[in-house]
Amino acid sequence: MSDAELLQLQSWMHDLEEGRLEQAEMDKLQELLLRSEEARRFYVQRMSLGSALCKLADEAQEAELQHESEQQDDIITASAELRRPWPLSAKLAMAASLIACAVALVLAMRPDRSLSASGTATVAETSNAGCAVLVDAAGAEWAEGTHAWQVGMSVPAGKLQLKSGLIRLEFYSGASVTLEGQSELEIVSVKEAKCAQGQMRVHVPPHARGFKLTTPDAEVVDLGTEFGLKVSEAGKAEVHVFDGEVEVLPNQAIAKLSVKQGAGWDAANGVASSPASASASFVDLTALRAQTRSADEQRLTAWREGMSVFLKDPRLLVGYTFEPANEWERRVENKHPGAQEYSHGSIVGARWVPGRWQGKKALQFKSPGDRVRLTVPGKYDAITLAAWVQVDGIDRRFNSLFLTDTWEPGNPHWQFVQAGSFALGIREAKGSKSLQHIAYSPEMFGPDTLGVWYHVATTFDMRTGLGRNFVNGKVVTEYKSPDVHPDEKIIIGTGELGNWGLPEGSKPRTEVRTFNGRMDEFLLFGGALQPEEVARLYEVGRP
């Protein structure tokens, strides 16, 4: 499904929820659901979430009635910030749509379910198509037009084209490959790869014995060892064995050649002694670590220089760079010049852990109590929230990035939802507690994105009703709220990063909405950054 189709689907879903989807659009929605499995999955997840929110909204309305009758001061449950009013017409429209699409959905979802021995339907387990993990990178530049892999990502079968720098891949089988300079490697499986060009050092432990590398003029099968491989632009391979033994099968040959420690092979000379300096010409783990450290230091310096511009931006309200003075620091300093004391964050529970680069810190949120408390007074026409996050799991229905303590008109709540998207909701000035301006990002976060650094940002402008979600500097959602009133303002007050609410007063417990992951950089602006500004913010901070 293309980005345009996804945006169109979100628009149809929104109109459907509001009970204003025309029949012609309904027909188009059904046509899309019939031909796109991705669209069907999005539809089901969105409807499931919508049903839950509808139920919550009904509960909230009942609670309000009870509140009036019993004249109690604090009975409204605190989880109402994402509730929609779901008028009867919308519920009926949803029900009608569900019936209309039921046959298609049943057929579509059937392959994903199976029957257990007892005959009970079970949902298919989450699968992973990766063959290797990118574990290190130093100054890595990927060829133009190819995927820019990041450290921590699982890499599936397919081609990797490195323009310059170093990367290290650990295959699921246990073999590891350090690729350097201009190189093209095609991952075939967890036990096999093809090298069209480039240079690499390969380590194969005993349990990964049999790992195969194919070049244009030979096959190299490792028998549990360490060796170096160079493949020229002309496709000529050169093998040097540093430890153990490999088998080489040249093209057109019938018999395999045994190449042992201290020896090498190329098509012109066959098996011969390798020069003593051969090993030093291939980057080993120690050299890779040193280059990674040097590259990280350079990126950290460049990031500080780039961030200095944003930290001086007059629109900035909170600028957390997460650079503590020491491991015991329990305050996150607002680096904006002239920042007031109340805007510095108070750390509760969260721990300092490694951030995007060596020498850089991040805060890890895990336990139900972990959070950073802060206060931002004032009223604003527009805001931007931006953070670098490494998600370790979206375990709960709602997972806080930044939530205000209260849910009063103008309060913003920014969080991940369990389906794999994130959203900024701002409670509307008029109407019930369930009314809000809100836009969800596409469902982009799941098992394949865990442990990887992502830059997420959201903007919303009350004057225009325009909201945007960004991932890694690119707009992924653009939404215009139809219900903005001229006198509406965004009001923050006291809130917290990575959690929500204090158990006090008549409500001694709070819902668990702890963010499960790391946060390295959080910026809050009292204005809506333009797309090019968010793109620049990403470029300044990308690992």
Side-chain angles (χ1 to χ4, degrees):
M1 190 167 52
S2 67
D3 291 345
E5 287 178 319
L6 181 58
L7 291 173
Q8 182 61 73
L9 177 57
Q10 287 184 317
S11 175
W12 285 337
M13 296 293 288
H14 178 267
D15 289 345
L16 179 63
E17 292 166 355
E18 297 297 329
R20 61 190 184 203
L21 187 67
E22 301 291 340
Q23 185 57 49
E25 301 298 308
M26 179 79 80
D27 293 342
K28 293 178 181 178
L29 170 60
Q30 293 189 41
E31 189 276 330
L32 176 61
L33 294 174
L34 284 170
R35 65 179 167 80
S36 171
E37 181 178 348
E38 185 180 359
R40 291 193 292 271
R41 291 185 180 282
F42 180 89
Y43 178 91
V44 171
Q45 291 168 341
R46 176 75 177 258
M47 277 302 181
S48 297
L49 177 61
S51 297
L53 295 176
C54 184
K55 182 174 182 296
L56 287 172
D58 289 342
E59 292 173 355
Q61 290 169 355
E62 292 173 2
E64 287 175 351
L65 292 173
Q66 184 178 357
H67 168 78
E68 292 173 358
S69 64
E70 298 179 1
Q71 296 184 342
Q72 296 177 353
D73 295 332
D74 186 17
I75 197 170
I76 304 301
T77 56
S79 60
E81 80 287 357
L82 282 177
R83 297 168 192 164
R84 287 183 171 277
W86 295 88
L88 179 60
S89 58
K91 294 178 181 178
L92 292 175
M94 182 187 296
S97 177
L98 284 170
I99 294 171
C101 299
V103 175
L105 290 173
V106 168
L107 292 174
M109 300 305 290
R110 182 176 296 170
D112 296 321
R113 294 175 179 274
S114 59
L115 293 179
S116 66
S118 63
T120 304
T122 58
V123 178
E125 287 187 292
T126 301
S127 60
N128 173 247
C131 294
V133 181
L134 179 60
V135 293
D136 276 310
E141 295 290 338
W142 300 95
E144 189 174 350
T146 64
H147 189 85
W149 297 97
Q150 299 177 46
V151 171
M153 283 184 167
S154 291
V155 184
K159 287 185 180 179
L160 289 80
Q161 291 183 268
L162 187 64
K163 184 178 177 181
S164 61
L166 291 168
I167 63 164
R168 183 164 178 263
L169 292 164
E170 289 182 347
F171 284 72
Y172 288 6
S173 61
S176 64
V177 172
T178 300
L179 200 62
E180 54 184 298
Q182 185 172 344
S183 304
E184 181 178 321
L185 183 74
E186 179 181 354
I187 296 176
V188 178
S189 71
V190 296
K191 297 180 178 179
E192 182 179 358
K194 296 178 180 178
C195 181
Q197 179 191 356
Q199 175 168 321
M200 67 194 70
R201 191 180 189 106
V202 183
H203 174 72
V204 181
H207 49 266
R209 181 187 175 109
F211 184 80
K212 183 168 76 174
L213 269 169
T214 303
T215 72
D217 61 355
E219 281 186 4
V220 181
V221 178
D222 195 289
L223 301 181
T225 184
E226 188 167 8
F227 67 95
L229 173 67
K230 290 181 183 177
V231 179
S232 68
E233 291 186 29
K236 301 297 183 183
E238 181 183 328
V239 179
H240 299 276
V241 179
F242 311 133
D243 184 27
E245 178 184 4
V246 302
E247 288 180 343
V248 176
L249 178 63
N251 288 352
Q252 312 304 323
I254 298 176
K256 297 177 181 176
L257 303 173
S258 174
V259 185
K260 297 185 178 180
Q261 182 175 340
W265 173 89
D266 62 55
N269 301 303
V271 178
S273 296
S274 283
S277 60
S279 178
S281 63
F282 293 85
V283 173
D284 62 12
L285 201 54
T286 302
L288 175 61
R289 291 280 185 260
Q291 293 197 34
T292 302
R293 188 179 307 109
S294 175
D296 280 4
E297 289 172 354
Q298 292 178 28
R299 285 292 302 127
L300 187 55
T301 300
W303 168 74
R304 286 171 176 153
E305 293 176 357
M307 277 301 294
S308 65
V309 176
F310 288 100
L311 293 175
K312 295 174 184 174
D313 191 311
R315 297 169 294 178
L316 186 69
L317 303 174
V318 177
Y320 292 165
T321 60
F322 295 94
E323 292 193 282
N326 54 60
E327 297 281 348
W328 303 275
E329 180 65 73
R330 302 309 289 168
R331 188 180 84 149
V332 185
E333 183 180 355
N334 181 1
K335 294 294 184 69
H336 182 53
Q340 300 297 314
E341 180 64 27
Y342 44 69
S343 66
H344 301 307
S346 298
I347 302 172
V348 180
R351 296 185 303 113
W352 292 110
V353 294
R356 282 168 285 174
W357 306 285
Q358 296 182 59
K360 176 74 178 68
K361 293 294 184 183
L363 271 180
Q364 183 181 56
F365 300 83
K366 285 290 182 187
S367 82
D370 293 352
R371 66 196 69 202
V372 174
R373 305 276 301 162
L374 67 151
T375 299
V376 182
K379 298 181 179 180
Y380 306 93
D381 291 321
I383 59 170
T384 297
L385 301 105
W388 276 97
V389 294
Q390 187 181 81
V391 180
D392 292 337
I394 305 180
D395 328 81
R396 305 168 182 93
R397 177 172 293 178
F398 305 116
N399 306 263
S400 166
L401 286 167
F402 175 75
L403 301 178
T404 54
D405 280 0
T406 57
W407 184 238
E408 299 298 331
N411 282 168
H413 280 193
W414 193 39
Q415 55 196 332
F416 281 100
V417 295
Q418 198 165 32
S421 61
F422 65 93
L424 171 66
I426 299 175
R427 186 182 162 188
E428 295 185 16
K430 300 182 184 300
S432 72
K433 287 188 174 183
S434 59
L435 286 172
Q436 60 181 317
H437 309 292
I438 187 168
Y440 295 89
S441 78
E443 293 163 2
M444 305 173 63
F445 296 89
D448 293 338
T449 62
L450 301 183
V452 179
W453 285 107
Y454 281 92
H455 186 254
V456 294
T458 302
T459 65
F460 189 80
D461 193 325
M462 279 290 191
R463 295 163 296 191
T464 62
L466 181 63
R468 294 188 176 104
N469 289 317
F470 300 81
V471 174
N472 287 348
K474 296 181 180 178
V475 177
V476 294
T477 309
E478 188 167 288
Y479 164 77
K480 190 159 187 177
S481 176
D483 304 315
V484 174
H485 298 279
D487 57 344
E488 280 191 283
K489 298 290 183 183
I490 299 167
I491 303 169
I492 301 171
T494 299
E496 52 197 25
L497 300 179
N499 218 313
W500 182 51
L502 299 177
E504 58 181 1
S506 61
K507 191 172 184 299
R509 298 179 66 86
T510 59
E511 292 77 5
V512 177
R513 293 191 180 181
T514 314
F515 171 58
N516 182 4
R518 302 181 181 197
M519 185 177 292
D520 179 355
E521 188 180 304
F522 172 76
L523 302 180
L524 171 59
F525 294 87
L529 297 190
Q530 294 303 304
E532 57 270 22
E533 294 177 295
V534 177
R536 175 60 184 159
L537 192 57
Y538 162 72
E539 286 298 328
V540 165
R542 67 183 176 87

